[in-house]
Amino acid sequence: MAMPGHIDPVPVPRTPVPRPDGRIDLLGLSKDDLRMALETSQLEPKQAKLRAKQLWHWIYNRGATDFSVMTDISKAMKPWLEARFVISRPEVVEAQVSTDGTRKWLLRSPDAQDYEMVFIPDADRGTLCVSSQVGCTLNCRFCHTGTMRLVRNLTVGEIVGQVMLARDSLGEWPSQPEGRMLTNIVMMGMGEPLYNFDNVRDALKLVMDGDGLALSKRRITLSTSGVVPQMERCGQEIGVNLAVSLHAVTKEVRDEIVPINRKYGIEQVLQACADYPGANNARRITFEYVMLKDKNDSDDDARELVRLLRKYKLPAKVNLIPFNPWPGAPYECSDPDRIKAFSNIVFEAGISAPVRTPRGRDIDAACGQLKTASEKKSRAELDRLAEEAERQEA
Ligand code: SAH
Ligand code: SF4
């Protein structure tokens, strides 16, 4: 059965915008594609193979954006490369630092679409929160990103570009296995990563490549609202940790707050988790649960959550996220005592249930807040507010 657009969305495909100078951007190309790009520019295959290997190392291990620094590439070759290729970075529109050390960047694509990334430093790790789309088609009712009207997939270069840019800004080149600040990546920025599967996969493959950025798959977490058909592929083709935005334990409530639930229900999502390749006790699946006052935060909800996780024998950890309100949001955050009581019930059942501390609130970098400040109230947001007002009147 066909479902209305907002729960069976088709993200706007992006036709790559050619650079005005006609040069090709090497950022985001796999080793093979890099070799092909050189061959297409008439380099003979043996040369292309060797040069591709050198370039790839310079790009992803050394963070080079300029051919002139590439010491093992001959002087004569550099102008040839410069005339045909560039190694780009996303354009930074704004960079902000929070009082708690969290950093947020507003980035802009060549076709003038804005997206964001956030870096969260902790004592023992540094986590980069990466966006997969501009906006999100899924319209979860508590999420600010979901109110953005324009949605498009980010390209491989734009996704891996966020990691490159963070490394630039932290001064972490060349890539080293030890002592780095950027240790973890979460695909929890703007967008639904499993609706941009191919680009997210190819970008994460670049991030995980041992010769380049070399981040282990154990330090990467992909968060999904529950796009069931892509969850298995995610395990098989990417193999990173999985986080699932559950947020409710009844059909009625989840249908309301996470509308994709009308297409893939709670039990289907949990079965997909049980089948997730590599899920075991050492690699638990994280269930995200945003705490909404009088909506999903009762003792009964907590007990039902435990029952469901047990029923599917899931090696699980529950992340309780205090709701971050935004102007016009139709919900409030649960009281701290309620969150504690909820957490205790889950914890007493033997499932870890930490309450996530919101970070970077002063710069709107906290979870689910990612929506470009420049954007005025969107159509979707206005529609939602109108709907809300109507309901209250009724
Ligand atoms: N689309 C993916 C990943 C991005 S959202 C997903 O939904 O999982 C990352 C996390 O932030 C999700 O768990 C999401 O539900 C949560 N989130 C969104 N808006 C929020 C808000 N206003 N307060 C707290 N958490 C929020
Ligand atoms: Fe999209 Fe995730 Fe926000 Fe839902 S919570 S609207 S899936 S970004």
Side-chain angles (χ1 to χ4, degrees):
M1 193 181 70
M3 309 293 279
H6 75 295
I7 43 174
D8 189 11
V10 182
V12 182
R14 160 139 194 244
T15 23
V17 188
R19 292 175 52 88
D21 62 10
R23 292 188 290 174
I24 293 167
D25 190 358
L26 298 181
L27 185 70
L29 299 190
S30 67
K31 279 178 191 160
D32 276 349
D33 288 344
L34 191 51
R35 183 174 50 76
M36 287 297 289
L38 296 175
E39 280 189 31
T40 311
S41 291
Q42 311 302 323
L43 213 61
E44 58 156 282
K46 224 174 136 195
Q47 268 280 324
K49 196 173 171 199
L50 170 73
R51 296 299 176 205
K53 198 165 175 246
Q54 291 170 317
L55 283 167
W56 203 89
H57 180 84
W58 279 106
I59 297 171
Y60 294 106
N61 186 279
R62 309 291 289 268
T65 52
D66 195 337
F67 298 105
S68 66
V69 302
M70 303 182 177
T71 44
D72 53 359
I73 289 179
S74 72
K75 236 183 171 162
M77 178 109 205
K78 285 175 187 164
W80 185 88
L81 286 167
E82 270 154 20
R84 289 165 181 77
F85 304 108
V86 288
I87 305 158
S88 80
R89 289 290 186 266
E91 179 196 342
V92 178
V93 182
E94 203 183 332
Q96 287 174 281
V97 184
S98 157
T99 45
D100 69 10
T102 302
R103 304 188 196 188
K104 182 174 89 165
W105 290 261
L106 176 61
L107 309 173
R108 184 161 295 164
S109 63
D111 59 342
Q113 304 270 339
D114 292 351
Y115 55 103
E116 293 178 334
M117 68 169 193
V118 176
F119 179 70
I120 307 153
D122 275 306
D124 58 340
R125 65 170 72 184
T127 307
L128 188 70
C129 182
V130 171
S131 291
S132 55
Q133 299 182 306
V134 173
C136 183
T137 46
L138 285 172
N139 278 282
C140 299
R141 281 180 70 85
F142 53 85
C143 173
H144 209 193
T145 304
T147 66
M148 281 177 72
R149 218 161 92 77
L150 244 162
V151 179
R152 85 147 166 80
N153 285 335
L154 293 178
T155 62
V156 178
E158 285 163 348
I159 298 169
V160 74
Q162 296 171 59
V163 184
M164 307 291 282
L165 199 66
R167 278 270 178 91
D168 291 348
S169 125
L170 297 167
E172 303 212 304
W173 302 113
S175 201
Q176 281 165 358
E178 299 293 329
R180 48 193 185 190
M181 280 175 77
L182 200 178
T183 58
N184 292 55
I185 288 182
V186 291
M187 296 302 301
M188 290 187 188
M190 283 182 174
E192 168 50 58
L194 295 188
Y195 270 137
N196 186 13
F197 187 87
D198 291 356
N199 290 351
V200 166
R201 176 200 54 208
D202 293 350
L204 290 180
K205 283 208 175 331
L206 289 171
V207 170
M208 294 187 285
D209 194 304
D211 297 333
L213 291 159
L215 257 114
S216 142
K217 64 178 181 181
R218 288 169 202 284
R219 290 187 169 270
I220 303 176
T221 301
L222 183 146
S223 175
T224 179
S225 55
V227 185
V228 167
Q230 306 288 358
M231 284 166 67
E232 189 184 349
R233 276 187 81 194
C234 176
Q236 278 167 354
E237 296 178 36
I238 316 179
V240 292
N241 301 319
L242 188 67
V244 173
S245 293
L246 196 61
H247 303 317
V249 289
T250 64
K251 173 164 171 52
E252 194 201 346
V253 177
R254 198 162 190 268
D255 276 357
E256 175 190 323
I257 66 178
V258 186
I260 196 183
N261 194 64
R262 296 176 213 163
K263 192 167 159 78
Y264 308 113
I266 295 175
E267 305 257 344
Q268 263 178 293
V269 171
L270 294 178
Q271 186 58 51
C273 291
D275 298 339
Y276 190 72
N280 55 40
N281 261 327
R283 287 188 81 193
R284 289 175 297 176
I285 293 177
T286 304
F287 289 91
E288 292 160 284
Y289 200 99
V290 63
M291 298 302 292
L292 304 173
K293 188 173 194 167
D294 300 330
K295 182 49 71 181
N296 64 357
D297 62 352
S298 69
D299 286 355
D300 280 350
D301 288 321
R303 283 190 281 265
E304 177 62 5
L305 178 60
V306 169
R307 188 190 70 80
L308 284 168
L309 297 179
R310 280 191 180 148
K311 177 175 168 194
Y312 286 89
K313 301 192 173 60
L314 287 167
K317 173 186 164 185
V318 176
N319 250 349
L320 299 175
I321 317 173
F323 170 60
N324 284 310
W326 35 271
Y331 304 107
E332 277 176 63
C333 183
S334 312
D335 295 330
D337 288 350
R338 183 87 298 273
I339 301 180
K340 190 88 209 115
F342 192 105
S343 166
N344 284 345
I345 292 174
V346 180
F347 185 75
E348 274 156 24
I351 301 166
S352 133
V355 181
R356 205 197 276 174
T357 334
R359 298 287 302 269
R361 272 200 167 172
D362 54 333
I363 55 166
D364 279 352
C367 214
Q369 295 286 62
L370 299 188
K371 174 174 172 174
T372 55
S374 54
E375 221 198 83
K376 300 276 178 284
K377 265 203 182 79
S378 67
R379 190 67 251 155
E381 194 172 340
L382 292 171
D383 287 349
R384 186 180 292 179
L385 289 172
E387 227 182 273
E388 199 60 32
E390 263 171 35
R391 202 169 305 141
Q392 271 166 11
E393 270 166 29

